[in-house]
Amino acid sequence: MKPTVHDIARSAGVSLATVDRVLNGRPGVRHVTRERVEQAISSLGYVRDVAAANLAKGRTYSFAFVLPSNDNSFMISLHDEVGQAISRSGPERTRIRIVDVPPFDARALALALNQLAADMPDGIAFVAVEGEEVHAAVARLKEAGIAVVTLVSDLPGSARDHFAGIDNNAAGRTAANLLGRFLGGRDGTIAVVAGSMLVRDHRERLEGFSAVMSKDFPRFGVLPVMEARDDPALAAELLAALLASRSDIIGLYSLGAGNRGIVHALAEMAADARPMVVAHELNRTTTSALANGLIDAVLNQDAGHEVRSAIRVLKGKVEGLPVIAAQERIRIDIFLKDNMP
């Protein structure tokens, strides 16, 4: 059974009225009590259903998801999850559309956001790319009263309402700790492959990774990042050229997509010459590579959770309700060969 407000009140040792104040962001609750209620919400897995609460009003929410269109398995899964949300539109009182844009293109993203503003949807979720024009487009959306959520990659400093995604700096730090421990007392150099430094999630992962490597594993040199634009063919070409030119590469951090190409380049190497590898996103390619020993660890984020969180937050913002941080926190899962699903 799904947890209820009665379960929250019982777990936190407070009244139903207190739970209601926390859920709706009303004053009159001490900070320590509010934290206790939010902890109960998190531990019980309570999910507030704004649509059900507004069923009697006949309210239907109009949302748009602006997503990059490229050969990136995670972005494809994100499209699929939004598609599933569209299939649930009737019961969930939503009208959702997907707008595709070229990846890593701030101008195209800003144009799409500006065009959507003319339709006046209730809310927009999008995978952010850094650029002054994107910040300006978000500001215009907010001035028009449209709720805005960034998805997967954030746009801090903008007027957006919320970010639905993992802590990418923490993901990079986690990758560094895993790789550093895997490599133990060996000597050598670590390569890094990213999609693009134009997206903040890749920059934050690199910053976290570099900080931990510099502080805790200074014996390893970290090469300048190679940008493969999440293109498997380009990733394979860049990595193969690097591995052919250097014999000291003992570790690899793949912080973006393009893992099909990376796995292809690694498979061409002798087993005893391959670097230890930490990558992102569990999919068919990375699961197979884990099983075959081509990748040593995969950090994963749940695309479905991110899409559901974005929709939930957009509904809440339309209704003037607060974001419950414990409910919307996106986990970083770590998969090894031994715990693959």
Side-chain angles (χ1 to χ4, degrees):
M1 291 180 60
K2 292 182 179 180
T4 67
V5 289
H6 294 273
D7 298 319
I8 296 171
R10 187 162 46 249
S11 177
V14 299
S15 67
L16 286 173
T18 298
V19 173
D20 181 74
R21 289 190 189 100
V22 173
L23 287 173
N24 292 286
R26 287 195 275 270
V29 182
R30 292 187 305 157
H31 178 71
V32 65
T33 304
R34 186 177 298 275
E35 285 190 339
R36 199 160 71 244
V37 172
E38 291 195 348
Q39 178 56 44
I41 290 169
S42 178
S43 61
L44 291 169
Y46 173 81
V47 176
R48 178 176 56 197
D49 189 345
V50 179
N54 286 280
L55 185 62
K57 300 178 184 178
R59 176 68 187 259
T60 298
Y61 305 88
S62 62
F63 298 140
F65 279 76
V66 184
L67 305 176
S69 178
N70 62 354
D71 185 18
N72 175 327
S73 59
F74 181 76
M75 290 304 167
I76 291 170
S77 69
L78 206 63
H79 274 77
D80 291 343
E81 292 293 343
V82 178
Q84 290 186 37
I86 292 172
S87 72
R88 301 189 298 265
S89 291
E92 295 188 0
R93 296 271 174 172
T94 56
R95 289 195 310 273
I96 299 174
R97 59 181 292 202
I98 298 175
V99 176
D100 291 314
V101 294
F104 312 125
D105 190 331
R107 183 173 298 179
L109 175 58
L111 178 61
L113 295 176
N114 288 330
Q115 290 174 338
L116 281 169
D119 298 333
M120 286 300 292
D122 292 311
I124 296 175
F126 69 98
V127 179
V129 179
E130 287 284 356
E132 292 182 5
E133 58 269 71
V134 181
H135 280 262
V138 172
R140 282 191 285 272
L141 292 173
K142 291 304 301 172
E143 288 170 5
I146 298 170
V148 178
V149 169
T150 52
L151 191 65
V152 181
S153 186
D154 198 11
L155 197 67
S158 71
R160 61 99 171 114
D161 292 294
H162 180 74
F163 169 55
I166 61 171
D167 181 336
N168 284 292
N169 188 280
R173 296 197 306 271
T174 301
N177 274 298
L178 287 170
L179 199 51
R181 284 165 170 74
F182 289 162
L183 293 171
R186 298 173 61 187
D187 291 312
T189 303
I190 295 174
V192 181
V193 181
S196 172
M197 292 295 100
L198 289 175
V199 289
R200 181 167 287 270
D201 59 330
H202 289 195
R203 288 208 310 276
E204 289 179 343
R205 291 175 189 179
L206 180 62
E207 289 166 2
F209 182 83
S210 300
V212 169
M213 277 294 169
S214 174
K215 178 178 179 293
D216 296 334
F217 306 101
R219 66 184 299 150
F220 305 123
V222 178
L223 295 176
V225 64
M226 297 182 290
E227 296 182 63
R229 299 187 66 80
D230 288 350
D231 181 336
L234 180 56
E237 178 185 338
L238 291 172
L239 183 58
L242 177 67
L243 294 173
S245 67
R246 302 186 61 139
S247 60
D248 63 333
I249 306 298
I250 60 171
L252 170 66
Y253 177 33
S254 172
L255 60 82
N259 285 317
R260 285 203 316 275
I262 288 171
V263 168
H264 177 77
L266 293 170
E268 296 294 308
M269 301 181 65
D272 60 356
R274 291 175 192 147
M276 305 291 290
V277 181
V278 175
H280 278 262
E281 316 315 344
L282 193 72
N283 51 44
R284 185 178 303 174
T285 296
T286 54
T287 297
S288 175
L290 277 173
N292 294 324
L294 296 172
I295 290 179
D296 300 281
V298 173
L299 305 181
N300 190 61
Q301 56 187 315
D302 186 337
H305 188 182
E306 290 175 338
V307 170
R308 292 190 298 273
S309 178
I311 293 171
R312 198 159 48 235
V313 170
L314 288 173
K315 288 177 179 177
K317 289 299 178 181
V318 171
E319 298 297 331
L321 298 173
V323 173
I324 302 173
Q327 181 175 298
E328 308 306 341
R329 188 173 295 113
I330 310 296
R331 296 185 319 180
I332 302 170
D333 294 315
I334 302 172
F335 289 95
L336 308 176
K337 181 177 182 177
D338 307 290
N339 70 331
M340 292 186 303

